[in-house]
Amino acid sequence: MSNPLLIAAKGKGFLPMLARSRMIVNRYGLTAGKMDAALTALMEPLTHYSCSATIPVTASALASNPGAIKKNSLKGLEFAVHGLYHVDYSQLNLEQQLKHIREARGIFHQLDIPVAGFRCPYLRWNKDTLIALEETGFDYDSSQALSMDVVDEFSTETYHRVLDFYRAQSANDYPALPSWSDNLIRIPYCLPDDEALIDRLHITDTGIMAHIWLAMLDHVYQSGELFTLGLHPERASACQAALHAVLAKARSLSPSVWIARLDEIAAWFRSLGQTTCKIENEGGSLYYVQIIGPKRATVLVRSSEIIAPTQPWDIDYKAVCTNEFFLRSDKRPLVGLTPSSSISLQRFLRCQGYLVELSADSEDYSVYLDRDTFSREDERPLLAELKQDHRPLVRLSRWPDAARCGLAITGDVDAFTIWDYGKRIFIR
Ligand SMILES: [Zn+2]
């Protein structure tokens, strides 16, 4: 099934698709003027709160409108690739996807627009997509949908249908955090986004939209995770008040919220995993700690007497004002892992800011894990286990500048004009 009309009908239902067709005619113009206005409406709250966003763009639409994203008013935005054409990549084989993705990269390259990331149209991908992205030099993919349990009484059958269509995972089972697929970083896309709120849940009240997105922000703030807020520019006006509410709340919190683009988040995630540390016992319970990590990382310590200036951080941890200090602890204050631990477990922990050592001496460590296997399904339970623990531990903050969670604003541009939109119907 590669005809986009059939794909859309499957995801949305036939009657909603007809209604959507009318909306599309209203949303895109004969020229890029309507999309220009939509991008301006998105920029207003971003500029007000001094932040940016990631806008994946369908490359063939960009080729037809090469000046559309080069305006001064859009400076600071990150552009990513949203397919060569707006088609269902999960239906294409590796060879077809490589061809599309290379050509899409070529269009961005010719226009001198740097790209690090990719998002599949319809959030539909297969394992060949990930292989093709890694082979063509992408840093990250943001196509995995992750649904948060915040919709309650507003839930509709069409919303559940679209979650199935997107193959969305539940945030109750998987953390809203970047993860690895070989050397490609995967950043989840949180739902409900603007499209789900308006077209599937039929919410038009901006107070209710804000209520739902603020509940998502609260969820990631409590868990220290990442909220990728999906807002397509064409609905930026309708959702502008809700976006204002989320950004205002995010800017008011302490510890802070790191509002960043997806390329910055991918780069941070990669660098955090390369942290090294020296932890030496100086006799008795005294330990010398030296951590070499990313410049904007903050050292956090739990349940120890720290011989260095500190600041309060959250209930469990204090932030240490230096990366070289002494502390007192009965055992080595980091996560010990059995030498046969899987690479995926080591990499997962390091990229969350945990300091790990491989050792057979389980009694030496404050926290010791003995697991030969580790999969994505184990991430959520392991994070809960580590959070419940109160034994002494030194780690780095998961986010820069001692932020407690991350927030990324992101929305796709499928087309700049009605002509671009029409093209997708004829692509195979
Ligand atoms: Zn799209």
Side-chain angles (χ1 to χ4, degrees):
M1 183 180 64
S2 60
N3 184 317
L5 283 180
L6 292 177
I7 298 165
K10 187 174 181 216
K12 304 166 202 309
F14 190 67
L15 287 177
M17 188 191 74
L18 282 185
R20 183 164 160 78
S21 302
R22 276 198 302 277
M23 268 189 286
I24 286 158
V25 172
N26 290 333
R27 226 165 251 163
Y28 300 98
L30 296 174
T31 68
K34 279 192 178 174
M35 183 50 75
D36 274 354
L39 285 165
T40 303
L42 179 64
M43 288 305 292
E44 192 276 323
L46 297 178
T47 307
H48 186 86
Y49 293 97
S50 307
C51 54
S52 185
T54 298
I55 310 294
V57 179
T58 301
S60 59
L62 183 62
S64 305
N65 304 271
I69 58 174
K70 292 222 141 194
K71 298 181 165 60
N72 263 344
S73 57
L74 304 181
K75 262 209 167 116
L77 290 178
E78 177 205 354
F79 294 99
V81 178
H82 189 43
L84 173 63
Y85 300 107
H86 203 277
V87 296
D88 182 351
Y89 280 77
S90 72
Q91 302 298 311
L92 302 186
N93 64 30
L94 178 59
E95 194 186 336
Q96 292 166 317
Q97 294 198 58
L98 275 169
K99 186 172 178 296
H100 275 234
I101 292 168
R102 282 205 181 103
E103 205 174 320
R105 265 206 101 119
I107 291 170
F108 278 74
H109 181 72
Q110 272 181 359
L111 294 172
D112 206 17
I113 299 165
V115 282
F118 189 90
R119 178 171 300 130
C120 280
Y122 312 106
L123 303 175
R124 283 167 68 86
W125 56 277
N126 61 22
K127 63 178 180 13
D128 288 336
T129 315
L130 307 183
I131 295 168
L133 290 175
E134 201 173 332
E135 203 158 304
T136 49
F138 278 84
D139 197 30
Y140 75 87
D141 166 68
S142 178
S143 304
Q144 176 60 58
L146 185 77
S147 72
M148 293 195 176
D149 221 350
V150 291
V151 169
D152 302 327
E153 73 269 25
F154 300 106
S155 193
T156 61
E157 196 201 320
T158 46
Y159 181 57
H160 283 282
R161 197 205 313 249
V162 89
L163 292 184
D164 286 345
F165 177 63
Y166 293 153
R167 301 177 187 129
Q169 295 177 335
S170 166
N172 295 332
D173 301 326
Y174 296 88
L177 288 170
S179 61
W180 290 100
S181 169
D182 291 325
N183 202 34
L184 183 74
I185 292 169
R186 304 211 63 205
I187 302 177
Y189 178 87
C190 297
L191 292 169
D193 61 356
D194 60 310
E195 187 179 357
L197 289 178
I198 293 178
D199 292 359
R200 317 281 177 248
L201 299 166
H202 312 300
I203 294 168
T204 50
D205 183 316
T206 53
I208 298 172
M209 286 181 203
H211 171 80
I212 290 175
W213 279 351
L214 286 169
M216 293 165 82
L217 178 64
D218 186 55
H219 170 84
V220 301
Y221 195 72
Q222 296 310 324
S223 57
E225 295 174 9
L226 169 68
F227 178 13
T228 43
L229 186 156
L231 175 51
H232 295 73
E234 66 261 30
R235 289 187 206 80
S237 286
C239 301
Q240 207 181 52
L243 179 58
H244 262 280
V246 171
L247 292 174
K249 179 74 182 179
R251 286 290 188 225
S252 73
L253 292 166
S254 177
S256 63
V257 174
W258 185 43
I259 308 176
R261 311 180 327 185
L262 297 181
D263 60 343
E264 295 170 319
I265 289 166
W268 171 259
F269 185 69
R270 216 175 264 283
S271 66
L272 198 55
Q274 289 158 3
T275 298
T276 59
C277 70
K278 193 183 301 180
I279 297 189
E280 285 171 359
N281 185 264
E282 299 284 310
S285 63
L286 188 66
Y287 283 89
Y288 165 77
V289 179
Q290 185 193 47
I291 298 174
I292 300 165
K295 260 192 187 144
R296 293 171 66 188
T298 302
V299 179
L300 301 174
V301 178
R302 182 176 74 187
S303 310
S304 294
E305 183 198 330
I306 307 150
I307 306 164
T310 62
Q311 289 182 337
W313 192 69
D314 73 356
I315 299 169
D316 294 327
Y317 285 95
K318 284 179 183 162
V320 187
C321 303
T322 169
N323 62 353
E324 191 178 4
F325 57 96
F326 291 89
L327 60 72
R328 293 194 187 281
S329 170
D330 288 344
K331 296 186 175 188
R332 289 180 73 72
L334 66 163
V335 181
L337 299 177
T338 188
S340 60
S341 292
S342 69
I343 296 289
S344 56
L345 174 60
Q346 298 175 44
R347 184 146 84 155
F348 173 73
L349 288 168
R350 287 183 205 280
C351 289
Q352 309 314 315
Y354 288 103
L355 307 174
V356 304
E357 273 180 5
L358 295 181
S359 169
D361 299 321
S362 60
E363 287 303 310
D364 285 0
Y365 292 87
S366 273
V367 178
Y368 189 81
L369 301 173
D370 182 4
R371 298 168 182 224
D372 288 343
T373 61
F374 186 74
S375 67
R376 289 230 51 223
E377 286 67 33
D378 301 316
E379 292 179 2
R380 174 66 79 213
L382 177 59
L383 289 175
E385 190 183 321
L386 291 169
K387 199 172 178 191
Q388 275 168 10
D389 201 299
H390 293 288
R391 285 169 287 184
L393 202 64
V394 179
R395 59 169 297 187
L396 287 186
S397 58
R398 184 182 278 150
W399 306 108
D401 308 325
R404 176 149 167 171
C405 75
L407 169 65
I409 313 300
T410 180
D412 313 331
V413 172
D414 303 350
F416 291 96
T417 67
I418 195 86
W419 310 114
D420 303 333
Y421 203 90
K423 257 191 257 168
R424 62 163 79 183
I425 294 163
F426 303 104
I427 301 301
R428 293 288 185 277

